[in-house]
Amino acid sequence: MSDSGVSATPYDSIGGEAAVRRVVDRFYDLMESEPGYAALRAMHAPDLAPMRGSLAGFLTGWLGGPRRWFEENVGVCVMSAHAVLPIDAETARQWTDAMARALSESGVDADLAARMNDAFERMAGGMARMAANRDN
Ligand code: HEM
């Protein structure tokens, strides 16, 4: 609780726009450069620049910061947006692994990173299950 009586959001705690951008850039740099994330990279468009903006925008609102991405994507559910993708346990693991590394290497506070990693693992697991149910 700050002096104004307003609780800090995770967006404030992580360090705002610059910190979110740092995490997202590290995430896509890792995806681009690490052979272990090749399957995940192959699912993405050749140009990752639009995704850098989109994921940063989503995470900004999701963490309690400005909700521009949600205002520009009214009705878009991030889980449903992945329903058409061939996500399996391995590509879900590559996503959460790359993101955990990006959070750690960007210097995000360990407790906040752990909470974010928990949420990402639940989301990624759900995305892989949606794809498995669809393909059955
Ligand atoms: C389970 C593993 C995941 C895989 C394999 C995956 C893969 C992808 C791919 C291939 C795209 C389209 C990219 C392109 O057009 O180049 C995408 C879009 C996106 N993903 Fe994921 N993703 C995963 C998990 C997540 C998670 C956990 C989140 C949120 C925390 C997320 C957030 C987004 C966002 C915001 C977009 C852009 C949607 C839009 O602007 O239409 N993804 N993802």
Side-chain angles (χ1 to χ4, degrees):
M1 198 69 91
S2 71
D3 289 348
S4 65
V6 179
S7 299
T9 63
Y11 178 75
D12 297 325
S13 304
I14 203 172
E17 185 181 350
V20 171
R21 196 61 210 213
R22 203 157 49 236
V23 169
V24 167
D25 280 338
R26 186 71 194 128
F27 174 73
Y28 287 112
D29 288 350
L30 284 166
M31 194 194 287
E32 200 122 60
S33 62
E34 289 282 329
Y37 303 136
L40 180 61
R41 175 67 186 91
M43 292 174 69
H44 288 76
D47 181 6
L48 289 173
M51 269 310 296
R52 289 176 192 258
S54 193
L55 184 58
F58 170 80
L59 290 178
T60 293
W62 182 78
L63 288 165
R67 295 185 57 79
R68 224 168 9 253
W69 186 92
F70 290 86
E71 287 156 13
E72 288 168 1
N73 292 279
V74 173
V76 174
C77 159
V78 81
M79 296 297 293
S80 308
H82 289 75
V84 293
L85 297 172
I87 296 175
D88 60 12
E90 173 57 20
T91 43
R93 189 199 61 76
Q94 290 182 16
W95 198 102
T96 52
D97 192 78
M99 182 53 81
R101 280 185 61 184
L103 289 167
S104 162
E105 292 173 14
S106 306
V108 172
D109 168 78
D111 285 344
L112 177 57
R115 283 160 56 207
M116 292 174 70
N117 285 329
D118 277 354
F120 293 149
E121 275 169 29
R122 280 196 300 275
M123 293 164 88
M127 289 169 183
R129 277 193 299 280
M130 280 193 313
N133 288 338
R134 181 197 58 216
D135 295 342
N136 276 338

